[in-house]
Amino acid sequence: ALSLAKIFAMRRILLISVLITMCSFCHAQNANVQAKIAEIRKMYNNEMEWINTMLGDETIPDDYISAKIRHNHAGSGQSDETIEFYFSDDFDEEIGYYVSSVNFVRRTTVYTVSENKTYEEFLYDAEGFPAFYYTSFPTYLKEGDDLVEKFVELRAYYDKGKQIHTICKVGDDASSLKEVPNTEELDDYLFRGFLQFGKLKDALGGMLN
């Protein structure tokens, strides 16, 4: 029969093996996420370079729509919103003609009463899935029992539309931002931003396709 010492030794070896396997798996997962983030950042930089080239070169036909919206929001008053859609045309063999698909959207909303500005960016991957979301805005966040005015900057990275990483920064203003852990409050803003990907995609489709 095995002695208690041998049993404990075997259990210890098994536990160490499980921990090593878990650490290796987590390391591989993290490496995959970092690789995907690097891919998205490259995609974003390429898109910015193309937009700047397209808008700056008169010989290149423009593929974008700029829409201005004036809207009176209940509780926050008048707002002026600018939405810029950047898109490309691809031939759809099933239906036999070109279809426009959104690549990138910029949206700026200025609330005239409070003079606050919200800025958002939406990057889509080659298949039309959300790839990256960015937003910056002033708001009130909970600090203990109080609501304190803060400036927020959020980034979210997606793999085929599934959120894989977030970067949250909060400060008293845009010049004093510091990275903070994601919270339920901040995640709610990210979720609302994520919902806009489909709405903006449908809006472009309604205008062009």
Side-chain angles (χ1 to χ4, degrees):
L2 293 173
S3 66
L4 286 176
K6 288 184 178 180
I7 292 174
F8 283 127
M10 291 173 64
R11 286 181 176 177
R12 184 168 179 271
I13 292 171
L14 179 61
L15 178 60
I16 292 172
S17 299
V18 170
L19 290 174
I20 290 173
T21 302
M22 289 177 64
C23 288
S24 299
F25 177 73
C26 291
H27 178 75
Q29 273 196 320
N30 186 59
N32 290 337
V33 169
Q34 293 304 316
K36 185 63 181 180
I37 291 171
E39 179 186 326
I40 293 169
R41 286 173 175 166
K42 183 178 180 180
M43 187 193 313
Y44 177 91
N45 290 335
N46 289 341
E47 186 66 27
M48 292 304 100
E49 184 178 349
W50 166 245
I51 289 173
N52 291 332
T53 300
M54 178 183 69
L55 297 180
D57 191 335
E58 294 182 357
T59 65
I60 299 177
D62 294 336
D63 282 323
Y64 83 99
I65 294 172
S66 180
K68 293 187 179 296
I69 303 167
R70 175 160 283 191
H71 187 197
N72 186 46
H73 297 268
S76 55
Q78 187 80 57
S79 73
D80 290 299
E81 185 174 351
T82 302
I83 308 177
E84 299 167 84
F85 296 87
Y86 297 89
F87 57 92
S88 57
D89 296 324
D90 297 300
F91 189 77
D92 190 320
E93 295 184 357
E94 291 186 4
I95 56 180
Y97 58 81
Y98 283 89
V99 174
S100 299
S101 56
V102 63
N103 300 327
F104 182 78
V105 177
R106 275 195 284 238
R107 179 163 64 188
T108 303
T109 306
V110 178
Y111 298 93
T112 55
V113 175
S114 59
E115 297 184 344
N116 287 337
K117 182 173 81 171
T118 296
Y119 176 71
E120 295 173 284
E121 294 180 346
F122 304 81
L123 177 68
Y124 297 77
D125 67 17
E127 297 178 56
F129 290 105
F132 175 71
Y133 174 66
Y134 169 86
T135 183
S136 61
F137 55 92
T139 189
Y140 287 88
L141 297 178
K142 292 179 182 177
E143 283 192 2
D145 295 328
D146 300 322
L147 284 175
V148 180
E149 188 172 7
K150 294 290 183 181
F151 191 86
V152 175
E153 187 177 85
L154 303 175
R155 292 172 174 84
Y157 297 83
Y158 307 92
D159 185 0
K160 303 299 181 190
K162 180 181 178 181
Q163 185 173 295
I164 57 172
H165 185 64
T166 60
I167 299 175
C168 306
K169 294 183 178 182
V170 176
D172 294 329
D173 51 42
S175 64
S176 63
L177 292 170
K178 293 182 180 179
E179 189 166 348
V180 299
N182 197 358
T183 64
E184 187 175 344
E185 270 185 295
L186 298 177
D187 206 47
D188 185 53
Y189 287 109
L190 288 170
F191 179 68
R192 280 185 273 173
F194 176 76
L195 294 179
Q196 295 304 307
F197 276 93
K199 294 179 180 179
L200 293 168
K201 187 176 182 179
D202 290 343
L204 180 74
M207 287 185 283
L208 295 180
N209 299 324

